[in-house]
Amino acid sequence: MDLFDPRLTAATTAGQWLREARDQLEKAGVETAALDARLLLIDGLGIPHSVFISDPNLSLQPGEMLQLESMLHRRLQREPVSRILGWREFYGRRFAIDQHVLDPRSDTETLIAAALAAGVEEQELRFLDIGTGSGCIAVTLLAERREWTGSATDINAAALRVVGKNAETHRVAGRLELHNTSWARGVAGPFDLIVSNPPYIPSGELAGLMPEVANFDPQIALDGDQDGLAAYRSILASAPGLLAPGGCLIVEVGARQADSVYALATESPLERFRPPEVSLHDLAGNERIAVFRMAG
């Protein structure tokens, strides 16, 4: 077992610690070393960034040093900063996360934009978030559209407790129903919108993921079975019985999976749909969102 040695730096001030922590993270191959060190420092000291800027020679107390060194140790073990801090910013809001939920990615914000566009701001629109994880999708949609109501499912009851916390934080809990179930089993429609960011990584590729993902995200939130498409088969099978006529299904997909996911719906009443004036691509240009509309 890796025993924690708190003496990772010889720093006595915040500025010294920041420089030494950055250097250690760079040597460990962390690409965002400077940013990570700064985030750990600010959170570990519990001070605004402006306070550090105004006084970089702020003296570190023994308890503060122990806290900072513990956080740095965890990052050197490739634990993501978001998990060390216990939160991730998503669509301009802070979401609590823990070991039971997927760490939200910025790519998923593309799904939010597509969902908001597909909804056309209908009053009393009802949506379903399948496999909600931290609840970042469901809670964001409710925070952005005060007239909407939602339901969210997850097979992990511990994950739903995280969702409940995030819903309370962003004051949308009264409009969100939580269901501890597999995919959409036992959930009653109709819904105007269904959204999901399901596991889509082929099982054989899990071992090759970055350690921040492979070692800290729940495997159940990553593993899409042999071809990465198992979750989509389940969602596409249940969606027609849950969507209202003209309703939309919007799912996040892997970087090269969009065509394969659309092909799964060939014999379905779900039709491929492209919301107007909304990009379905990530920053690298990959199509990351698949959108379907229910016939009728």
Side-chain angles (χ1 to χ4, degrees):
M1 179 179 294
D2 187 13
L3 298 178
F4 171 51
D5 180 354
R7 295 166 298 178
L8 293 174
T9 73
T12 59
T13 69
Q16 289 174 339
W17 188 90
L18 181 66
R19 291 189 293 272
E20 294 186 31
R22 178 200 61 203
D23 292 345
Q24 288 203 42
L25 291 171
E26 287 179 346
K27 291 177 182 178
V30 176
E31 295 181 357
T32 54
L35 174 61
D36 291 0
R38 186 175 297 272
L39 288 172
L40 294 178
L41 175 67
I42 298 305
D43 189 85
L45 295 182
I47 61 173
H49 183 251
S50 58
V51 172
F52 169 70
I53 293 297
S54 64
D55 187 10
N57 293 319
L58 185 69
S59 296
L60 298 178
Q61 302 303 312
E64 293 172 334
M65 178 61 76
L66 186 62
Q67 171 72 3
L68 290 172
E69 299 290 78
S70 175
M71 297 170 80
L72 176 58
H73 175 80
R74 291 170 65 182
R75 187 65 187 106
L76 289 169
Q77 302 302 308
R78 303 304 292 267
E79 184 174 355
V81 169
S82 55
R83 294 199 177 277
I84 298 171
L85 304 183
W87 57 268
R88 164 75 72 176
E89 184 170 307
F90 180 83
Y91 215 78
R93 296 179 179 88
R94 184 175 291 190
F95 285 84
I97 61 171
D98 66 13
Q99 71 272 22
H100 302 292
V101 303
L102 185 75
D103 189 350
R105 273 62 159 171
S106 58
D107 287 338
T108 305
E109 295 187 355
T110 307
L111 186 152
I112 298 294
L116 294 175
V120 200
E121 297 193 50
E122 295 181 38
Q123 293 205 3
E124 299 183 1
L125 180 147
R126 185 179 183 227
F127 70 84
L128 172 66
D129 179 13
I130 299 177
T132 190
S134 67
C136 65
I137 295 174
V139 171
T140 297
L141 292 179
L142 292 172
E144 292 290 320
R145 295 286 187 264
R146 296 184 179 182
E147 67 273 22
W148 290 12
T149 59
S151 294
T153 72
D154 204 285
I155 197 171
N156 188 344
L160 291 179
R161 288 193 286 273
V162 177
V163 181
K165 178 179 179 180
N166 285 322
E168 290 286 350
T169 296
H170 297 294
R171 301 181 180 181
V172 301
R175 292 184 284 128
L176 180 62
E177 294 182 353
L178 302 179
H179 302 270
N180 185 196
T181 189
S182 176
W183 303 125
R185 184 176 301 166
V187 179
F191 295 97
D192 305 291
L193 174 67
I194 297 176
V195 292
S196 183
N197 177 22
Y200 53 69
I201 299 173
S203 301
E205 298 180 12
L206 293 174
L209 296 174
M210 293 178 60
E212 285 86 347
V213 177
N215 298 337
F216 295 98
D217 274 324
Q219 184 168 341
I220 194 173
L222 301 172
D223 193 346
D225 211 345
Q226 186 173 353
D227 62 358
L229 302 176
Y232 300 106
R233 294 186 180 93
S234 296
I235 293 170
L236 288 166
S238 61
L242 293 169
L243 280 171
C248 285
L249 166 66
I250 304 177
V251 293
E252 182 171 333
V253 300
R256 294 172 295 279
Q257 289 180 325
D259 289 341
S260 298
V261 172
Y262 282 123
L264 293 175
T266 302
E267 305 298 325
S268 169
L270 295 169
E271 304 169 342
R272 184 171 182 168
F273 175 64
R274 182 171 295 276
E277 301 180 4
V278 174
S279 174
L280 303 180
H281 295 73
D282 61 20
L283 295 177
N286 300 304
E287 189 168 6
R288 296 299 299 269
I289 307 296
V291 184
F292 302 86
R293 185 164 58 182
M294 185 67 176

